[in-house]
Amino acid sequence: MLNSNRIALGLLGVALPLALLAALVSGPVSIDLAAALRDSWRGESSEAVILWQLRLPRALLAILVGAALGMGGAAMQGLLRNPLAEPALLGVSSGAALAAILLLYYGLAWQSGWWLPLLAIGGAFVAVLSVWALAGRGASASRLVLAGVAINAFLSALMALALNYAPSMFAMQEIVFWLLGSLANRGWDQLLLALPFIIAGGLLLFASRNYLRALTLGEASAASLGFGGRRHPLLLLLGIAAAVGAAVAVAGTIGFIGLVVPHLMRPLVGQDPARLLWASALCGALLLLLADIFVLNFVGAQELRIGAVTAFIGAPFFFWLIVSARRGGAL
């Protein structure tokens, strides 16, 4: 069984670069990948520009955002010991989304390409710190969830208010499209902006791996093993806010990746929450890249939003999960 799990994880590692190659040749304009690589050294051509300025940064951003969402979902489920938890539960996505919506609402996003992602990342941190303050000292997992639901509901109400009083149809359309999530028109600037935050968040989550292992024994047992106090959960929440907030800041809200991916990977890592982090990052990167390949090859008058694609992937998965649980007597 252990060998088969390792083979499955190895196949995921092989599938990711293959999916990257598929993403580079996907799109409305057909290019010769070998010719584009040759032209990039000899001089610029239209195929080289499409490859290096459009498709490569978009594919790499899909990998980065998918990894952040998958890893953030695994960390959140480990922290709350709840398989239905995801970063949106504690307001990370809503905080980033609200900051971006306010910028779009007032039309300030177009004055500088850096304003929207930077403020969205800040919004994610403010939301997480608000949840932390509301939960109070020594908060249990259930209290964190209640505080997260409260903050998330408040942020969602503010987003609905912004949509209701949008100053123009154009502003409303931009807000709705951003909320649906997309990797269209993303380039190296967005990739380089998100990269340090996602790396920093990943390092914080990796540093908390032993705390996640201890939590599987319960909060009291974790405290007896030296993981008491507020520092460890706070570092974990800050890591989630940095990684997921940066992902939402550059790609909008993309649902279900952080919820579905840990479920898929958990049987392959022996229920180990520390190993689940990197496995979920790998699977999240692959899943979002495949979803974006589907978007690139979807023929329509307007590009399909990737958030809708991930929702179509996630919803049937949970239908299957519920039916399987009912047959097994778990529900």
Side-chain angles (χ1 to χ4, degrees):
M1 183 65 179
L2 183 60
N3 288 333
S4 63
N5 291 347
R6 288 177 177 174
I7 291 172
L9 291 172
L11 290 175
L12 282 176
V14 172
L16 186 59
L18 294 178
L20 176 59
L21 289 176
L24 296 180
V25 297
S26 297
V29 178
S30 178
I31 66 169
D32 184 337
L33 187 58
L37 290 172
R38 285 196 308 269
D39 291 342
S40 64
W41 295 108
R42 297 175 182 175
E44 284 195 357
S45 68
S46 59
E47 290 190 330
V49 170
I50 290 173
L51 173 64
W52 291 101
Q53 300 302 322
L54 298 176
R55 294 189 181 173
L56 183 60
R58 175 170 176 157
L60 293 178
L61 191 62
I63 292 172
L64 194 65
V65 169
L69 295 175
M71 184 169 48
M76 187 65 74
Q77 291 179 13
L79 173 64
L80 300 179
R81 298 180 303 286
N82 186 338
L84 297 179
E86 64 168 336
L89 185 64
L90 296 189
V92 178
S93 300
S94 296
L98 179 61
I101 283 174
L102 291 177
L103 219 62
L104 293 170
Y105 181 90
Y106 289 107
L108 301 176
W110 316 119
Q111 295 184 10
S112 172
W114 296 89
W115 274 108
L116 192 147
L118 283 176
L119 286 185
I121 293 169
F125 277 105
V126 170
V128 165
L129 292 176
S130 299
V131 169
W132 186 251
L134 182 62
R137 186 176 183 83
S140 62
S142 58
R143 203 194 306 170
L144 274 175
V145 170
L146 288 174
V149 169
I151 294 295
N152 203 29
F154 178 68
L155 295 175
S156 297
L158 291 178
M159 286 190 283
L161 193 64
L163 278 171
N164 191 69
Y165 291 103
S168 66
M169 288 300 297
F170 177 76
M172 179 181 290
Q173 185 181 46
E174 288 297 320
I175 291 171
V176 171
F177 280 174
W178 193 88
L179 286 174
L180 290 174
S182 176
L183 295 171
N185 303 318
R186 304 306 195 269
W188 292 109
D189 287 345
Q190 288 78 20
L191 178 68
L192 294 176
L193 176 66
L195 184 62
F197 287 97
I198 292 178
I199 290 177
L203 290 175
L204 283 174
L205 296 181
F206 183 74
S208 303
R209 63 193 185 280
N210 289 330
Y211 173 61
L212 288 173
R213 284 191 176 119
L215 277 179
T216 60
L217 304 174
E219 292 180 5
S221 298
S224 68
L225 293 172
F227 293 103
R230 306 187 76 193
R231 181 172 67 91
H232 297 288
L234 180 59
L235 289 177
L236 197 59
L237 285 175
L238 290 177
I240 294 170
V244 176
V248 174
V250 295
T253 52
I254 299 174
F256 281 101
I257 296 290
L259 195 57
V260 169
V261 164
H263 280 281
L264 295 175
M265 293 293 100
R266 196 170 281 112
L268 301 181
V269 296
Q271 309 294 325
D272 184 350
R275 294 177 62 200
L276 184 61
L277 289 174
W278 67 263
S280 295
L282 177 62
C283 184
L286 178 61
L287 186 59
L288 192 61
L289 185 57
L290 291 175
D292 195 47
I293 291 172
F294 176 81
V295 168
L296 288 169
N297 289 286
F298 182 81
V299 178
Q302 188 171 350
E303 182 174 299
L304 185 64
R305 298 290 155 169
I306 198 168
V309 176
T310 57
F312 274 116
I313 294 172
F317 172 81
F318 277 97
F319 292 155
W320 170 81
L321 190 67
I322 292 170
V323 171
S324 299
R326 286 176 59 185
R327 288 175 179 173
L331 290 178

